[in-house]
């Protein structure tokens, strides 16, 4: 059991806390589920890009799925080998493409015809061959939150199947491109296997039709998106997940690439925040805490649910309240109408499942320094990113 109270006392609040034993277990469980095939897990760095998290995963053999050259550099710095790094994302700048090529990463994941041409041009300039994959859009409804659904034609991601085929043929005939992979990602926080299997079937049959054209796809990248439990949602069983994908690949000799972010780190993370005040307006009760939407944006942005509990508060008497931060926005809340006991100044709240898209989506809004991050494992606890100071906030400004 993690002693939230003493950690909050030791490091202060607001505070992010990650249990590295859970991170390791999640990675190893997923890797294990794909043992029937060659597989490569490329952790989606955007979910939690702290260098210590990446190092932990590097030690286990993880690769990295990156969406900016900054993420590529983080992955390399953390010891993830270049041949396990993928560079995805709908809008890559020329300098990012160039650097990714020079750093000789596994592949660049192409998201449009225009980008295809850009990568070819830059590879030609460097007199290099760019290993690429193409993100195809299988036009499948992932049945998740619209902001994190990406596999429909109406979304900005990927290339329609027919267009992708033309690009593969062009790539095959190009001196500067080597089409080694194919990629799809239909959305995030997926709790239903059916759309994943459907997408995998569509993309696998495309791989077969490319084979006929003598285009040999080596990496079959199924994206990320495995959902986790925030509340009482039904989640995907990993064995079923892997089996559903693998069952679509008969006759194909491919390495399955998977890009989980949330699954690896989501439930390893806790956000600790202290109560500043209780406040009542007419009939409504507010618990005002020292953390805010700048620290953990998901509830404000997606109305995402995160379980919240008071630590060591004995009172049995609970009543409904909103848990809100100090930021000058009505949207600054962590939860609405939840039951909590009567709280007093400095009581501690823990917000669960905060390991993914928590710190990485934080900002300095309202000139608030970002929270500290700490890691806990069998060796104890340690700081992995210190709390930002006022000097950190103004460091890049001229005056
Ligand atoms: N691969 C690609 C191409 C992606 O776009 C994403 C996530 C992943 C992998 C990792 O997905 P995951 O396994 O973590 O679901 N900020 C949102 C989530 C945005 C996800 C963006 N793409 C949230 O807080 O729910």
């Amino acid at each position: 059991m993690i002693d939230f109270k003493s950690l909050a006392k030791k490091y202060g609040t607001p505070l992010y806390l990650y249990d590295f034993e859970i991170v390791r277990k999640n990675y190893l469980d997923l890797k294990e589920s794909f043992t029937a095939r060659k597989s490569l897990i490329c952790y989606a760095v955007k979910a939690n890009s702290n260098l210590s998290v990446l190092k932990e995963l590097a030690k286990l053999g993880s690769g990295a799925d990156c969406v900016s050259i900054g993420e590529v550099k983080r992955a390399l710095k953390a010891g993830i080998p270049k041949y396990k790094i993928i560079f995805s994302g709908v809008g890559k700048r020329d300098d990012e493409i160039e650097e990714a090529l020079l750093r000789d990463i596994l592949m660049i994941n192409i998201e449009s015809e225009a980008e295809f041409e850009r990568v070819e041009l830059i590879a030609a300039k460097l007199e290099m061959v760019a290993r690429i994959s193409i993100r195809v859009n299988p036009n499948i409804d992932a049945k998740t939150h619209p902001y994190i659904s990406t596999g429909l034609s109406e979304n900005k991601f990927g290339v329609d199947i027919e267009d992708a085929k033309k690009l593969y043929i062009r790539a095959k005939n190009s001196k500067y491109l080597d089409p080694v992979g194919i990629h799809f990602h239909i959305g995030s926080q997926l709790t239903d296997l059916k759309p994943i299997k459907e997408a995998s079937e569509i993309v696998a049959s495309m791989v077969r039709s490319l084979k006929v054209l003598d285009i040999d796809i080596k990496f079959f990248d199924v994206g990320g998106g495995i959902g986790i439990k925030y509340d009482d949602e039904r989640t995907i069983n990993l064995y079923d997940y892997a089996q559903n994908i693998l069952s679509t690949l008969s006759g194909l000799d491919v390495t399955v690439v998977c890009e989980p972010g949330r699954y690896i780190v989501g439930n390893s993370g806790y956000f600790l925040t202290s109560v500043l005040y209780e406040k009542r307006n007419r009939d409504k009760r507010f618990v005002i805490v020292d953390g805010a939407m700048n620290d953990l944006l998901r509830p404000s942005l997606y109305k995402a649910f995160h379980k919240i509990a008071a630590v060591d508060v004995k009172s049995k008497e609970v009543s409904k309240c909103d848990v809100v931060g100090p930021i000058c926005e009505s949207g600054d809340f962590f939860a609405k109408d939840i039951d909590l006991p009567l709280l007093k100044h400095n009581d501690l709240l823990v917000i669960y499942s905060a390991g993914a898209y928590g710190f990485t989506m934080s900002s300095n809004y309202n000139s608030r320094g970002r929270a500290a991050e700490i890691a806990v494992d069998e060796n104890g606890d340690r700081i992995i990113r210190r709390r930002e100071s006022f000097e950190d906030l103004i460091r890049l400004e001229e005056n």
Side-chain angles (χ1 to χ4, degrees):
M1 269 300 275
I2 298 177
D3 185 349
F4 294 123
K5 217 164 184 173
S6 65
L7 291 172
K9 199 160 172 205
K10 182 167 172 187
Y11 296 103
T13 57
L15 184 70
Y16 272 102
L17 163 62
Y18 312 119
D19 184 337
F20 276 11
E21 291 184 61
I22 297 181
V23 174
R24 282 180 220 139
K25 181 178 182 329
N26 290 342
Y27 172 86
L28 293 171
D29 285 351
L30 186 59
K31 181 72 186 161
E32 168 84 19
S33 72
F34 280 108
T35 40
R37 279 261 182 180
K38 288 175 283 185
S39 69
L40 174 62
I41 294 184
C42 289
Y43 166 68
V45 174
K46 64 172 88 69
N48 185 326
S49 44
N50 186 289
L51 284 175
S52 298
V53 172
L54 300 180
K55 272 188 194 153
E56 205 61 29
L57 290 166
K59 277 191 257 165
L60 300 176
S62 181
D65 167 50
C66 303
V67 288
S68 67
I69 204 68
E71 287 190 354
V72 171
K73 286 178 173 169
R74 273 184 183 271
L76 288 166
K77 194 170 169 63
I80 295 179
K82 61 183 184 179
Y83 56 85
K84 291 186 181 172
I85 296 178
I86 301 172
F87 185 17
S88 312
V90 277
K92 303 176 192 76
R93 293 189 314 261
D94 286 5
D95 61 295
E96 292 185 297
I97 296 169
E98 182 163 336
E99 189 158 354
L101 289 175
L102 292 172
R103 287 183 183 254
D104 195 27
I105 61 168
L106 176 60
M107 56 191 168
I108 295 182
N109 190 19
I110 305 273
E111 296 239 13
S112 64
E113 184 178 357
E115 186 180 57
F116 177 98
E117 286 164 1
R118 233 34 244 160
V119 171
E120 186 178 31
L121 205 77
I122 294 167
K125 188 186 86 181
L126 299 174
E127 291 180 15
M128 293 179 73
V129 177
R131 282 180 299 275
I132 59 159
S133 62
I134 295 176
R135 177 168 179 176
V136 298
N137 186 336
N139 196 18
I140 293 282
D141 185 355
K143 302 194 170 60
T144 185
H145 189 291
Y147 279 18
I148 50 178
S149 175
T150 51
L152 280 169
S153 307
E154 67 193 55
N155 300 126
K156 69 177 173 182
F157 300 97
V159 180
D160 292 340
I161 291 268
E162 276 317 305
D163 297 335
K165 206 162 176 179
K166 289 183 202 135
L167 291 182
Y168 274 108
I169 296 167
R170 276 172 68 185
K172 180 183 185 291
N173 296 324
S174 166
K175 236 172 99 182
Y176 302 106
L177 298 174
D178 182 10
V180 293
I182 195 158
H183 176 261
F184 65 95
H185 170 84
I186 58 172
S188 201
Q189 184 54 18
L190 308 177
T191 51
D192 187 359
L193 272 177
K194 213 168 138 242
I196 302 174
K197 184 170 186 188
E198 272 170 35
S200 189
E201 259 158 4
I202 294 170
V203 179
S205 86
M206 165 128 178
V207 174
R208 287 190 192 93
S209 66
L210 291 175
K211 216 172 163 185
V212 175
L213 300 171
D214 211 20
I215 299 169
D216 189 21
I217 298 295
K218 297 181 186 70
F219 297 98
F220 188 84
D221 185 343
V222 302
I226 307 167
I228 62 166
K229 256 192 203 320
Y230 284 98
D231 193 5
D232 53 5
E233 52 273 77
R234 190 173 49 91
T235 49
I236 293 173
N237 169 291
L238 285 188
Y239 176 80
D240 294 342
Y241 172 74
Q243 284 314 306
N244 270 273
I245 290 166
L246 298 183
S247 69
T248 67
L249 299 179
S250 57
L252 295 177
D253 179 23
V254 287
T255 297
V256 179
V257 180
C258 175
E259 304 169 348
R262 191 187 319 264
Y263 181 79
I264 304 289
V265 288
N267 280 327
S268 76
Y270 307 85
F271 181 67
L272 303 184
T273 182
S274 300
V275 173
L276 296 174
Y277 317 105
E278 285 252 4
K279 170 172 178 171
R280 242 168 236 285
N281 282 355
R282 281 181 194 259
D283 312 319
K284 204 158 172 76
R285 173 186 168 211
F286 295 96
V287 173
I288 303 170
V289 295
D290 64 356
M293 65 190 283
N294 77 297
D295 298 303
L296 176 63
L297 185 62
R298 303 191 73 256
S300 304
L301 190 59
Y302 313 116
K303 296 203 173 74
F305 174 86
H306 283 262
K307 193 175 104 188
I308 301 182
V311 180
D312 280 352
V313 174
K314 298 283 173 297
S315 162
K316 294 269 176 310
E317 223 173 288
V318 297
S319 66
K320 296 269 181 237
C321 64
D322 288 6
V323 179
V324 302
I327 282 186
C328 306
E329 302 261 355
S330 301
D332 180 23
F333 63 88
F334 290 127
K336 293 201 165 190
D337 287 320
I338 61 163
D339 284 322
L340 282 179
L342 191 66
L343 296 161
K344 53 183 194 318
H345 189 70
N346 276 343
D347 276 344
L348 185 65
L349 298 184
V350 52
I351 304 188
Y352 289 86
S353 314
Y357 307 108
F359 186 88
T360 48
M361 289 174 70
S362 65
S363 76
N364 292 124
Y365 188 36
N366 278 205
S367 285
R368 291 167 52 86
R370 284 185 180 79
E373 292 177 289
I374 64 166
V376 181
D377 66 9
E378 67 282 2
N379 299 316
D381 50 88
R382 66 181 195 278
I383 193 136
I384 56 173
R385 193 181 199 272
R386 66 168 174 76
R387 187 174 300 288
E388 282 179 355
S389 64
F390 174 68
E391 281 64 39
D392 291 325
L393 288 182
I394 58 167
R395 201 156 44 92
L396 304 176
E397 293 172 35
E398 312 276 340
N399 59 26

